């Protein structure tokens, strides 16, 4: 997965803070950092945690090798004492958090890092990069799947985002309910299903549309998907059926008014005897376009740009805040900044989801101190991912993706039905802060 | 830079098209693919090409190794003939394009790939991923720098985007005029300047704001930047000056009404005798917020979220289209699809920027055939990056970034002054298609 150290996916100031705290003797204070989002993107009803598995995979490669140390020295980023500290760096603390795929709300403590200040500080940027990107994609993807209902969504946005973001986006989309992706690297790394057939260039390469379809069917059989809108859609459908016969798997529409087109293409296919040939649509879809196609005879949605850009919310705006730390005498003190509009709540949190007797979520309870398990239906949300620096099994790789997909599926089932509707509103359940019991 | 093959940053269908064309005997047809954008993001006056250097770096690692081939076989993506072709894959064609940092307009042929269909086809996704991401960031960054005028902009958005996108975003921002970045990996890979001092967590770690400032000054000297808004800004500024004295480098404001705050913090600093202490602001800035701060006594802007998300346009919507290819008899045929709203113009393009007698750009000329160099001021825009598969020197690594930064600077100078204004409008110069002479 990671073939190089992940340690410099880091803001310069993480290391200058490390230097100053090492010099001041405060670097070794035990600390609690918390990741949370102050709010959801405008109008969204819930968010989806994604990226946790990737953080744990990256944590194992969070080391400062010769190349990194030489750079830090050459660029005069930190002093010798700090370089010596980094040369031996290895995270030795604990990490808890919401399981990947879990739904979150404003104030949900989605990740809690407990270690010395030094160790938690240098992880900040990397942790936020992964969570903010992957959660933004998963949150958008989940809404698209809700709009698509039982019809499968295919992730096809690789070309619209950074080449590595594309892999993470494919992974996040699958966790949030997409059935497959076009991204081959995601298939290699995470074992997710990949699909794809042909683009307009393949038709244009050949001397005619018919020649292109014949070439594709010769290679992949009749049960393939033919792209029929390079020239004229009606002629394209007719040619596709002539070439592939009644076994033609699907036609793909990638332009024009998809609702109207899907209707008459369906009629045409049926008239030609191709009742089992499916229709896939792929032109600039987002969750609203998918919802608008609900009554059209469409069998699958390919989603690109809107998915990989978070459908208007390309980052999840999660922050990583120091909420508690020891003094020199070992006493813990909860801390919080007062900066306007950017305040935080001090203390090491617990979190649970309150469910009613029918198993439906009614509130997100967040608090400090004893966990108030008053109701047997309450579900504890914090899971342990790292113990004493060791990543616990089951959260990473292909196994982690399968588990996260299941978690997301179960969490969505638990939400009030309104969560699956697209109209803008408040978070679907409120976040309630509970005082110490 | 690239430690692993880049070949699977690719859509599944690129390889199925390869398979079908190998079987049909059309894979070896010489082809011309062109990258262009049909339009700029809503209201933008120009775009900035970025990512070209990264494409060339990635091209050298575009190989199918054992791990990739085993995956493609295991996942049944392509057949044996195709696997054998990929095992020996190496791009042997030519690539021309706009120099990195160059300004582009709708229809500008920003990259032209000439090779067999097979070779150009498999590069599509990777090329578009890089150009669409990096150009989106550079295009936003250029507007921010225009709004900032002579005040430096610092890229600080790493935590708001995927960890690898963050590195590419830092690189693109510097090309478009940012003076530095917080991203250390970008410093390592591309030699760009990195900066950073401390976050709120550093203040909260210590027993008081004073103790935190003392620790920072003890380690980095008085000429550092102190973050003064963790508790009360006025008290923060007074404490900062008491601790660091008249040599205090800068204070950083990260919340609240920055225009108003910058004014009274400037007055306070001056009253305290710190006329040379600078003010840096960093709270959710975009190009419009920067413009609004024009009259405020601010010395530097730190930009995060808006930069790495392209300030509302996170992807550049460039496409990669087959525009010309040989038939079996070796004759070239220009090709273009007719799909509604997604048409393209066939043929291998030239491109030049028409300049008036004062050296100001007046039009983007794009055409097929002989280059009409009627006017001595015309500037040819297509440069060669790859010849017969060999990447030409000067476009990659730190050298490529320096060169691209200069190119962007020169191209902006050449634009009508209106290009540097933020209000929405048409592209600042028109794209004119020239018929064959």
């Amino acid at each position: 997965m990671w073939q190089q150290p992940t340690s410099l996916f880091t803001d310069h100031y993480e290391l200058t803070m490390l230097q100053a705290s090492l010099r001041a003797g405060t670097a070794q204070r035990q600390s609690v950092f918390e990741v949370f989002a102050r709010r959801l993107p405008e109008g969204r009803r819930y968010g989806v945690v994604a990226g946790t598995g990737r953080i744990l995979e990256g944590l194992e490669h969070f080391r400062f090798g010769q190349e990194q140390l030489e750079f830090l020295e050459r660029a005069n980023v930190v002093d010798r004492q700090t370089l010596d500290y980094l040369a031996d760096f290895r995270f030795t603390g604990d990490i808890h958090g919401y399981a990947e795929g879990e739904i979150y709300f404003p104030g949900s403590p989605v990740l809690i890092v407990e270690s010395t200040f030094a160790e938690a500080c240098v992880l900040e940027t990397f942790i936020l990069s992964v969570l903010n990107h992957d959660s933004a994609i998963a949150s958008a993807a989940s809404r698209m799947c809700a709009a698509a209902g039982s019809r499968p969504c295919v992730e096809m946005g690789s070309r619209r985002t950074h080449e590595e973001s594309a892999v993470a986006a494919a992974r996040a989309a699958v966790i949030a309910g997409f059935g497959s992706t076009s991204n081959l690297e995601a298939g290699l790394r995470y074992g997710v299903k990949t699909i794809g057939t042909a683009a307009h260039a393949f038709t244009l390469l050949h001397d005619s549309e018919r020649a292109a379809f014949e070439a594709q069917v010769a290679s992949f059989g009749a049960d393939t998907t033919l792209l029929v809108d390079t020239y004229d859609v009606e002629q394209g459908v007719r040619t596709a059926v002539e070439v592939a016969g009644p076994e033609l798997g699907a036609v793909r529409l990638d332009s024009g008014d998809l609702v109207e087109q899907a209707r008459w293409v369906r009629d045409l296919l049926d008239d030609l005897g191709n009742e089992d040939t499916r229709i896939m649509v792929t032109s600039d879809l987002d969750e609203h376009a998918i919802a608008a196609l609900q009554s059209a005879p469409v069998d699958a949605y390919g989603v690109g740009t809107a998915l990989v850009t978070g459908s208007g919310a390309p980052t999840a705006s999660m922050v990583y805040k120091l909420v508690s730390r020891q003094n020199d005498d070992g006493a813990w003190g909860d801390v919080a900044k007062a900066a306007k509009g950017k305040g935080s709540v001090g203390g090491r949190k617990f979190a649970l989801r309150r469910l009613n007797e029918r198993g439906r979520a009614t509130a997100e309870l967040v608090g400090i101190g004893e966990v108030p398990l008053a109701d047997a239906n309450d579900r504890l949300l914090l899971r342990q991912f790292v113990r004493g620096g060791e990543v616990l099994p089951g959260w990473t790789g292909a196994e982690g993706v399968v588990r996260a997909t299941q978690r997301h599926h179960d969490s969505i089932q638990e939400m009030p039905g309104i969560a699956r509707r697209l109209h803008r509103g408040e978070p679907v359940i409120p976040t309630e802060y509970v005082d110490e019991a």
Side-chain angles (χ1 to χ4, degrees), chain A residues 281-331:
Chain A
V281 295
T282 56
S283 183
D284 277 339
L285 298 180
D286 64 8
E287 60 272 41
H288 304 287
I290 291 171
L293 283 158
Q294 211 156 32
S295 64
V298 166
D299 300 283
Y301 303 101
V303 188
T305 306
L307 187 278
V308 299
T309 59
S311 199
T315 183
S317 73
M318 290 181 186
V319 295
Y320 182 92
K321 295 295 168 190
L322 180 66
V323 291
S324 195
R325 50 113 184 103
Q326 279 187 313
N327 292 336
D328 286 340
D329 59 8

Side-chain angles (χ1 to χ4, degrees), chain A residues 203-332:
Chain A
T203 300
L204 295 172
L205 169 68
H206 291 86
D207 298 335
S208 67
E209 190 173 51
R210 179 177 300 270
F213 290 173
E214 284 169 351
Q216 190 176 326
V217 169
S219 193
F220 290 96
D223 185 24
T224 187
T225 300
L226 293 173
L227 177 60
V228 293
D229 71 341
T230 304
Y231 304 109
D232 175 79
V233 178
E234 184 185 338
Q235 188 53 56
V237 173
R238 291 184 183 280
T239 305
V241 170
E242 284 168 27
V243 169
E247 304 301 319
L248 174 61
V251 295
R252 178 159 77 94
L253 303 172
D254 185 47
S255 55
D257 179 338
L258 296 175
V259 175
E260 185 204 325
Q261 250 186 108
R263 293 229 164 86
W264 66 256
V265 167
R266 179 73 270 158
D267 289 344
L268 179 57
L269 285 168
D270 292 348
D271 286 350
L272 295 170
N274 278 44
E275 285 90 356
D276 293 337
T277 298
R278 297 176 302 282
I279 298 177
M280 180 179 199
V281 295
T282 56
S283 183
D284 277 339
L285 298 180
D286 64 8
E287 60 272 41
H288 304 287
I290 291 171
L293 283 158
Q294 211 156 32
S295 64
V298 166
D299 300 283
Y301 303 101
V303 188
T305 306
L307 187 278
V308 299
T309 59
S311 199
T315 183
S317 73
M318 290 181 186
V319 295
Y320 182 92
K321 295 295 168 190
L322 180 66
V323 291
S324 195
R325 50 113 184 103
Q326 279 187 313
N327 292 336
D328 286 340
D329 59 8
W332 283 90

